Amino acid sequence: MMSDAVSCYHDLLASGSALAADSQAALEKVQQIRGLHFGTRPVCTVLRPRFLTPAQYHLLHETVNVLLPAFHAMYERALADPIFRQQFRMLDWEEQLLGIDPGFRDPSPTSRFDTFFASDDELLFTEFNTETPAGAGYSDALAELFYGVPVFQEFQRRFRVNPIPAKPGVLHALTDSFKQWQGHTSDAPRIAILDWREVPTFSEFVLFYDYFKAMGIEARIVDPREVEYRAGRLMAGDYHITLIYKRVLISELIERGGIDHPVVQAVRDRAVCMVNSFRCKILFKKASLAVLSDERNAALFTPVQQAAIARHIPWTRVVESRKTTIEGAEIDLVPWASANKDRLVLKPNDDYGGKGIVLGWLVDQRTWDDAIQTALALPYVVQQKVKLPYEAFPSFENNSLQVIDRMLDTNPYVAFGAFMHGCLTRISTEELVNVTAGGGSTVPTFLVEPR
């Protein structure tokens, strides 16, 4: 069914009519009008959305449902046990912030997994973004936009499509956390969308600002440099902030503003609710997948969870001198990693946007061994290479239709820390599928079925 839908869509574009040119013009015009740009680049550069079958969506949803309790069990153990928590390689200042009670249950009410469909029924989870899961605004806006693209209108004559919205899950997770935080009172939240004004994702903050306002919630986009903590209130000018939608990275906030930044003071004093909380850093560490998949920790999980981890989590370890196992065999981690570069990836323990990632199969042995030495000196993880899926995506360039294979990922959002709510798809011609890294594009995601 999926191949039929894709073939139909591409055949419509190649039909010899002006459909491809008109669709490209519509896509560019509406993105310009709505400000759908990542920095200076259009968010979406191709003419076809991502299609998921109901079976693929069901697999995503059910796998998230099984894995989330395993992550929560690991988080609860780490929060309560400093010795166990050492496996996550937290920094000293992060340890300090863990002591701040956020006032709500889950450390990451809104989050996002990064996954790959290696085949229709093989799903691999490579990262868990529990700190600043971006893209929900872009994905939803593009879904709305595509309904006005001529080729998409024609396609709907033959296939039924349904969007997978993500913004409502973000909003409901924010407001639910705020209700837990405020207790018995029922004041409406006053939201600050918090990040630096110069970041390339600023246009998404505008989308969320408009959405919050449309839902009757007061909001502003606020730079961390603009806030003050005075008289028990976190203020941006004359605006009293009671709920922070935190898009700024905690590491950048502390690096630029220090451990006593007004935001930190206000959260510590329960003067403001911040989502996600400082405690999100535990699971945000790339080491969380290492802790999850390490044979030393298997007893923490149920048999069902262990089976899901074995099936869906690529083998991952913190880079250190130790013995461990892979595929049932004991190995000496560092020399084994050196000898198996073509099947491995090195990732910094705490970074984003593809920064610092080394793909072993793309570098020579000396570069790889140098990267391992860096990984030993700094917290890094080594992860088994996953099979990257490809799909053909069309674009209209230089007055001609171009259909090019692109890699794509599948990134389910999580709301309330409890279940899947929305899905982001990124595509790229590079082996690092990341828009922030400059090599990718976002496309909207739809469920597709024949009429």
Side-chain angles (χ1 to χ4, degrees):
M1 183 191 73
M2 177 64 71
S3 60
D4 291 344
V6 172
S7 295
C8 173
Y9 201 98
H10 293 178
D11 288 346
L12 286 169
L13 287 167
S15 62
S17 67
L19 196 58
D22 291 346
S23 297
Q24 185 70 40
L27 182 68
E28 292 177 356
K29 179 180 179 181
V30 180
Q31 285 192 91
Q32 184 66 38
I33 291 171
R34 296 201 59 181
L36 293 178
H37 284 76
F38 185 87
T40 59
R41 293 179 287 129
V43 172
C44 182
T45 59
V46 296
L47 291 175
R48 179 172 70 79
R50 164 73 179 292
F51 296 137
L52 283 178
T53 66
Q56 287 176 314
Y57 182 81
H58 180 76
L59 177 59
L60 263 180
H61 188 272
E62 293 307 304
T63 305
V64 168
N65 279 355
V66 174
L67 287 176
L68 275 174
F71 276 97
H72 284 304
M74 185 172 61
Y75 162 78
E76 294 290 347
R77 173 72 181 276
L79 191 64
D81 184 346
I83 301 300
F84 180 81
R85 193 165 66 240
Q86 290 175 6
Q87 294 184 60
F88 295 83
R89 302 301 195 271
M90 305 289 289
L91 302 177
D92 289 345
W93 63 265
E94 293 170 331
E95 289 281 346
Q96 292 182 51
L97 295 180
L98 291 182
I100 300 176
D101 184 351
F104 47 85
R105 288 183 298 272
D106 196 87
S108 305
T110 174
S111 56
R112 191 193 74 216
F113 285 107
D114 290 358
T115 81
F116 294 91
F117 270 105
S119 63
D120 285 346
D121 60 355
E122 184 181 2
L123 181 63
L124 297 170
F125 288 61
T126 58
E127 293 188 12
F128 192 18
N129 188 336
T130 61
E131 184 174 350
T132 55
Y138 288 142
S139 185
D140 286 12
L142 288 171
E144 295 173 7
L145 181 160
F146 261 81
Y147 279 107
V149 173
V151 64
F152 194 71
Q153 295 173 0
E154 289 296 317
F155 177 75
Q156 290 181 86
R157 296 176 184 268
R158 307 181 197 184
F159 286 85
R160 183 168 66 248
V161 293
N162 290 293
I164 310 173
K167 285 204 312 267
V170 175
L171 173 60
H172 295 154
L174 286 168
T175 55
D176 178 69
S177 301
F178 183 74
K179 288 176 183 177
Q180 294 177 51
W181 173 83
Q182 67 178 343
H184 300 296
T185 60
S186 57
D187 295 335
R190 298 163 59 86
I191 296 178
I193 305 166
L194 191 72
D195 205 351
W196 319 108
R197 288 198 173 273
E198 63 269 22
V199 296
T201 49
F202 187 87
S203 56
E204 191 185 20
F205 306 158
V206 176
L207 296 174
F208 270 104
Y209 169 83
D210 291 339
Y211 177 59
F212 293 154
K213 298 289 280 188
M215 299 301 290
I217 299 175
E218 193 166 2
R220 290 190 186 177
I221 302 170
V222 176
D223 189 297
R225 292 165 292 201
E226 299 172 350
V227 301
E228 297 179 283
Y229 183 45
R230 59 178 188 265
R233 292 183 167 195
L234 187 67
M235 306 293 294
D238 60 356
Y239 183 66
H240 175 205
I241 303 164
T242 60
L243 173 59
I244 295 173
Y245 174 29
K246 187 189 73 61
R247 294 295 297 265
V248 65
L249 287 168
I250 296 170
S251 57
E252 291 185 358
L253 181 70
I254 301 305
E255 180 183 338
R256 298 192 192 186
I259 199 72
D260 291 320
H261 188 279
V263 166
V264 179
Q265 295 182 49
V267 173
R268 182 185 291 124
D269 292 349
R270 295 289 291 271
V272 70
C273 176
M274 185 178 76
V275 179
N276 287 327
S277 74
F278 290 124
R279 291 176 176 175
C280 74
K281 293 294 285 187
I282 294 176
L283 294 183
F284 180 68
K285 298 291 187 180
K286 303 295 191 300
S288 67
L289 271 72
V291 177
L292 196 72
S293 62
D294 195 318
E295 69 274 3
R296 298 179 299 187
N297 304 317
L300 188 61
F301 310 112
T302 68
V304 172
Q305 291 167 356
Q306 289 179 29
I309 291 166
R311 181 180 178 187
H312 299 291
I313 304 295
W315 179 91
T316 309
R317 294 291 185 273
V318 173
V319 179
E320 59 184 329
S321 296
R322 62 167 285 201
K323 299 288 181 63
T324 186
T325 63
I326 183 168
E327 299 169 352
E330 185 176 79
I331 59 169
D332 194 348
L333 180 58
V334 173
W336 182 89
S338 174
N340 288 272
K341 73 177 185 66
D342 290 343
R343 58 187 290 196
L344 298 172
V345 181
L346 285 169
K347 298 180 177 181
N349 192 32
D350 189 340
D351 220 326
Y352 71 103
K355 296 177 183 176
I357 291 178
V358 182
L359 308 179
W361 59 96
L362 294 184
V363 299
D364 60 30
Q365 188 65 46
R366 181 172 180 178
T367 302
W368 178 250
D369 286 337
D370 287 346
I372 289 176
Q373 292 306 308
T374 298
L376 285 166
L378 302 170
Y380 263 70
V381 300
V382 59
Q383 187 174 79
Q384 194 161 23
K385 176 185 180 181
V386 303
K387 179 183 176 182
L388 297 177
Y390 288 80
E391 280 189 21
F393 282 87
S395 60
F396 190 77
E397 303 173 34
N398 300 319
N399 294 317
S400 66
L401 182 66
Q402 310 286 332
V403 182
I404 300 173
D405 281 348
R406 289 172 165 87
M407 276 166 289
L408 72 163
D409 60 8
T410 307
N411 308 305
Y413 290 96
V414 175
F416 309 103
F419 53 81
M420 177 180 170
H421 195 302
C423 186
L424 171 74
T425 296
R426 299 173 298 190
I427 63 174
S428 178
T429 55
E430 307 292 333
E431 295 207 40
L432 187 60
V433 187
N434 195 291
V435 176
T436 304
S441 171
T442 298
V443 295
T445 308
F446 288 90
L447 291 179
V448 62
E449 297 178 274
R451 286 204 179 275

